[in-house]
Amino acid sequence: MPRIMRGMLLRAGLVSLALLLASRALGLLRESVQAAALGAGGTADVVILMLTLPDLLTGILASGALAYVLLPLWARQSAAAQIQGVRQMGGWLLLGGAAAAALLLVVPDLAADALAPGLGEALRPMALNALRWGAVALPLALLAALWTTRLQHQRDFTGMYGANLVVNTVVIGSLLAVASTVTDSPTDMVTALGLGLLLAMALRLLWLRWRMAGTTAHPATSAETAEPPWPMPSVWLWALAGAGLPLLLPLLARSLASDSGEGALANFNYAWKLVELPLVLAIQL
């Protein structure tokens, strides 16, 4: 391998490593700020429920499956067909995310019972309000999963890890703002954090869109813009099962832990992050 190529690969690897470490460190800081601001009581349960809901459901329903199916597909397609497929899939994900969000908005009680059964009646209105904010953010998270998969195909690891930095930075800022504001209104606190969550999701999309901007404009012939051959439904089902089912286990564990009472979900979440962080970091490194 030529020396210039080795140098380019080394620089790219170092940049990716630095962004990976920064992303994980900022994620740990987010959990620390959250714990300092909210403690480990029922209020923390509600906030964790809201802040983790969009990306958690996206991970189960889309993120891994998109990578399993689309990365091999894009490897066989022209650039124009890939771009058309991204646009089509983006529309489907937004539509599906809107439908799922509408379902959560209609029956938030069922979602609260399933995801945080240990919350008392006093926190019930706060939890339902938090679930509504999380539901509204779900379509944005699904679209972000698609665009992140696109950057993975382009080997743009700066864009991928940078998106995590954007989200964590905004969420940390929202938590600090709430912690510094003296208010006894749970509604105001949930609203402030909900707005911060939506801002984080929107800014992540802007970041991802900017990173993709250099490759989306591509001249295409009529043959290239023909309908791309999508994989069979069975392929999608196997991808969803392979990627989503393992992520259901932590979700089930969270729900079982929450059944112990208020604060149990928060304690489980903090403990899980401490266990998960070094394992995920070691695998990614």
Side-chain angles (χ1 to χ4, degrees):
M1 182 181 297
R3 181 177 300 178
I4 296 178
M5 181 63 70
R6 288 200 300 269
M8 292 175 60
L9 291 175
L10 178 60
R11 285 193 295 272
L14 290 176
V15 170
S16 298
L17 176 60
L19 288 170
L20 168 63
L21 293 175
S23 173
R24 293 302 171 182
L26 200 60
L28 182 60
L29 177 62
R30 168 180 164 174
E31 297 298 325
S32 300
V33 170
Q34 186 171 283
L38 305 173
T43 301
D45 287 353
V46 172
V47 171
I48 289 171
L49 188 63
M50 175 177 62
L51 295 181
T52 60
L53 180 66
D55 283 339
L56 184 61
L57 291 181
T58 296
I60 294 172
L61 299 174
S63 295
L66 289 173
Y68 285 164
V69 176
L70 293 181
L71 293 179
L73 177 65
W74 286 337
R76 302 190 302 268
Q77 288 183 331
S78 66
Q82 294 172 27
I83 293 168
Q84 183 187 4
V86 169
R87 291 170 179 166
Q88 290 181 353
M89 182 58 66
W92 294 340
L93 287 174
L94 285 176
L95 184 61
L103 181 62
L104 287 172
L105 291 172
V106 171
V107 290
D109 294 272
L110 294 179
D113 290 337
L115 298 174
L119 291 175
E121 288 300 320
L123 288 172
R124 192 75 173 185
M126 184 180 179
L128 298 182
N129 189 24
L131 280 171
R132 294 185 184 100
W133 283 104
V136 172
L138 179 58
L140 303 182
L142 287 169
L143 184 58
L146 173 64
W147 289 359
T148 301
T149 304
R150 182 63 182 167
L151 292 183
Q152 184 179 357
H153 171 72
Q154 297 168 356
R155 297 180 178 85
D156 184 0
F157 300 109
T158 299
M160 292 172 58
Y161 295 131
N164 295 332
L165 294 177
V166 171
V167 171
N168 284 328
T169 298
V170 176
V171 170
I172 288 172
S174 301
L175 289 167
L176 290 174
V178 167
S180 63
T181 303
V182 179
T183 177
D184 296 326
S185 172
T187 301
D188 291 344
M189 185 191 72
V190 171
T191 299
L193 290 176
L195 290 172
L197 176 63
L198 290 181
L199 178 62
M201 296 293 170
L203 290 178
R204 176 169 65 179
L205 285 178
L206 288 176
W207 166 266
L208 293 171
R209 187 66 181 83
W210 174 68
R211 297 297 303 187
M212 295 192 306
T215 58
T216 52
H218 186 274
T221 65
S222 58
E224 288 178 324
T225 55
E227 184 78 14
W230 291 104
M232 298 293 292
S234 59
V235 176
W236 286 102
L237 288 176
W238 279 111
L240 284 170
L245 288 179
L247 296 179
L248 281 175
L249 297 178
L251 179 63
L252 177 61
R254 283 179 21 148
S255 298
L256 292 175
S258 173
D259 202 26
S260 301
E262 294 181 5
L265 176 59
N267 280 302
F268 178 88
N269 180 75
Y270 298 143
W272 176 262
K273 291 298 181 181
L274 289 176
V275 173
E276 180 191 42
L277 179 64
L279 294 177
V280 172
L281 189 61
I283 292 171
Q284 290 182 320
L285 287 175

